[in-house]
Amino acid sequence: MEARINYYGNPVASKFARYINSAGKVLSDSTLPMATQELVKLRASQINGCGMCTDMHAKDAAHAGESWPRLNLVAAWREATVFTDAERAALELTEQGTRTADAAGGVTDEAWGNAAKHYDEDQLAALVSLIALINAYNRMNLITRQPAGAYQPGQW
């Protein structure tokens, strides 16, 4: 598959990408655990069918020390025993926050309350922002057909 647009070769797209990447830096510098951040990015990307981001975040997580068994089980996190209660809460919030069209009420009070048991207010703010950000990245990549598979950790 060939990309419809070179995001870094177009002045408007490149400027937008720089701004959105700056937002990502705020989140990566937050106190939300990096392992949780990578799991969230991977799960939202799987749900959205974004091959580029699924590939990128699995590779980044593995490069940062995440185990392949855990990465392989992200899509089946409810049945898997390798995730902490906090990670499960983040993954549930991610799924509900990503699948907003599937649930007229949006994120349930139960999912929010469970996440709030495990994360402080700054971490919750980072988690919500991360879910929104990865969904934006997924949509940009899907609309412009960015190819999957070529990414190497540390490339960007």
Side-chain angles (χ1 to χ4, degrees):
M1 173 171 49
E2 189 172 321
R4 291 175 168 161
I5 190 171
N6 175 351
Y7 237 79
Y8 295 94
N10 176 280
V12 172
S14 178
K15 187 174 184 179
F16 179 78
R18 281 195 309 274
Y19 281 115
I20 199 167
N21 288 341
S22 293
K25 175 89 169 93
V26 170
L27 303 176
S28 64
D29 290 346
S30 75
T31 60
L32 184 64
M34 192 53 64
T36 301
Q37 291 188 41
E38 290 301 335
L39 296 174
V40 163
K41 290 184 275 189
L42 180 57
R43 185 63 190 128
S45 299
Q46 290 171 336
I47 292 167
N48 288 322
C50 182
M52 180 182 177
C53 289
T54 298
D55 176 61
M56 176 189 303
H57 297 301
K59 287 176 179 175
D60 281 347
H63 185 71
E66 186 61 75
S67 71
W68 279 109
R70 280 173 41 95
L71 294 174
N72 290 335
L73 289 168
V74 167
W77 64 268
R78 284 179 180 82
E79 293 81 24
T81 59
V82 297
F83 301 105
T84 67
D85 288 343
E87 290 168 338
R88 290 174 178 285
L91 289 166
E92 179 65 29
L93 195 66
T94 300
E95 287 196 3
Q96 289 189 23
T98 298
R99 293 183 165 144
T100 55
D102 298 342
V107 173
T108 64
D109 289 340
E110 180 182 6
W112 180 261
N114 194 28
K117 288 181 197 173
H118 299 284
Y119 300 102
D120 65 28
E121 191 169 283
D122 285 347
Q123 291 171 322
L124 282 170
L127 182 57
V128 169
S129 299
L130 180 62
I131 294 165
L133 183 65
I134 190 58
N135 275 278
Y137 277 121
N138 291 163
R139 281 147 181 79
M140 289 167 32
N141 289 329
L142 288 166
I143 291 166
T144 62
R145 291 189 177 165
Q146 297 302 310
Y151 174 78
Q152 295 302 316
Q155 181 176 354
W156 293 308

